[in-house]
Amino acid sequence: QCFSRGGPSGSLTVWLDCERAKIQVGPPEAIRPTNPPCIECQCRDIDKELGDLPEAIRIEAVSYIQQGCIEKCDLFQGCDNAFWQSVTIKMSPISFLEEDTIAETGSAEKEMYLIFKGHVDLIHETTQVTFATLSDGNFFGEMSMCEMTRKWYTVRATTNCHFYRITQEDMNEIFIDFPEYARSVRGKAYDSNMSRVQQCETVCNVT
């Protein structure tokens, strides 16, 4: 048993069974969880797999699994639970193997990645020098929330990695529902990108 989570009414428990690689739903008294959620379960498309359940229970389960990743993200600090919940529902899990190239220089910034588990290098295009290494709780692709632009660095996995990914289109829809957070989140994204630029200039000796 991977974890249990009571529904809003308290009458149902959502249960990820790691050994059988499936999700079960039942009354709380029938569930006896013994282990915390494993990485494989936390990175599955839980919302899709719970598609037959009432929306409120699906939102509860997805938010429970992904909340820890959202809480670590500096961009979303200061936002309320309703905003966080909207982001978690739109996020999708994705994994890469060690040495995989996740994004290349010049590719369109259409999505942001939150690192749930693993390490990635940010590599300068011309010098091919690694100017930053990101790990659990970090993110990249944040400029996708601001404007249509192109990535100026390459992202490569240095370990097996598990991410949550959210698209520019989905974030724009969320900002329509939460306009009070659009300016602050986008401002933090700009600041984060400028910090990376400065770090790259220092490490790679480029301007």
Side-chain angles (χ1 to χ4, degrees):
Q1 296 95 337
C2 191
F3 83 98
S4 65
R5 182 62 169 170
S9 64
S11 60
L12 288 177
T13 293
V14 178
W15 178 26
L16 266 69
D17 189 327
C18 299
E19 293 182 359
R20 297 176 178 82
K22 65 180 181 181
I23 295 175
Q24 298 183 19
V25 179
E29 59 270 17
I31 306 302
R32 295 293 182 269
T34 58
N35 300 315
C38 64
I39 292 174
E40 287 73 16
C41 283
Q42 294 186 63
C43 291
R44 284 161 59 186
D45 195 341
I46 304 301
D47 188 43
K48 183 177 180 180
E49 295 188 49
L50 294 176
D52 294 335
L53 291 176
E55 182 179 8
I57 296 179
R58 286 193 294 109
I59 292 174
E60 181 86 3
V62 173
S63 298
Y64 173 76
I65 297 169
Q66 299 178 351
Q67 182 177 355
C69 192
I70 290 290
E71 289 176 342
K72 294 178 182 178
C73 183
D74 292 340
L75 296 181
F76 302 136
Q77 295 301 309
C79 301
D80 63 19
N81 288 334
F83 178 87
W84 284 4
Q85 196 169 73
S86 295
V87 173
T88 60
I89 292 302
K90 293 292 187 180
M91 293 194 310
S92 59
I94 186 170
S95 298
F96 289 87
L97 299 177
E98 183 179 357
E99 298 186 359
D100 278 354
T101 297
I102 301 159
E104 294 184 338
T105 301
S107 59
E109 289 273 26
K110 294 183 178 180
E111 51 202 12
M112 186 180 79
Y113 293 81
L114 280 69
I115 305 175
F116 176 72
K117 192 71 176 178
H119 294 77
V120 301
D121 282 347
L122 307 187
I123 304 168
H124 181 250
E125 174 187 13
T126 304
T127 64
Q128 289 299 296
V129 171
T130 296
F131 65 88
T133 297
L134 309 180
S135 59
D136 305 4
N138 293 139
F139 53 85
F140 57 91
E142 64 273 17
M143 286 301 290
S144 63
M145 292 191 292
C146 304
E147 59 188 20
M148 183 59 71
T149 184
R150 295 197 176 274
K151 194 174 294 298
W152 54 271
Y153 53 84
T154 292
V155 183
R156 185 167 299 137
T158 58
T159 65
N160 293 342
C161 293
H162 302 282
F163 306 105
Y164 286 118
R165 177 176 61 184
I166 188 165
T167 67
Q168 182 181 62
E169 181 180 0
D170 284 338
M171 281 305 306
N172 286 339
E173 290 180 1
I174 292 172
F175 286 144
I176 290 174
D177 293 333
F178 296 89
E180 65 273 26
Y181 296 130
R183 183 173 181 178
S184 63
V185 172
R186 285 171 171 156
K188 291 177 183 178
Y190 272 115
D191 291 344
S192 173
N193 184 66
M194 288 306 301
S195 178
R196 296 200 203 286
V197 170
Q198 294 170 359
Q199 187 175 10
C200 180
E201 290 175 349
T202 299
V203 174
C204 304
N205 195 27
V206 295
T207 58

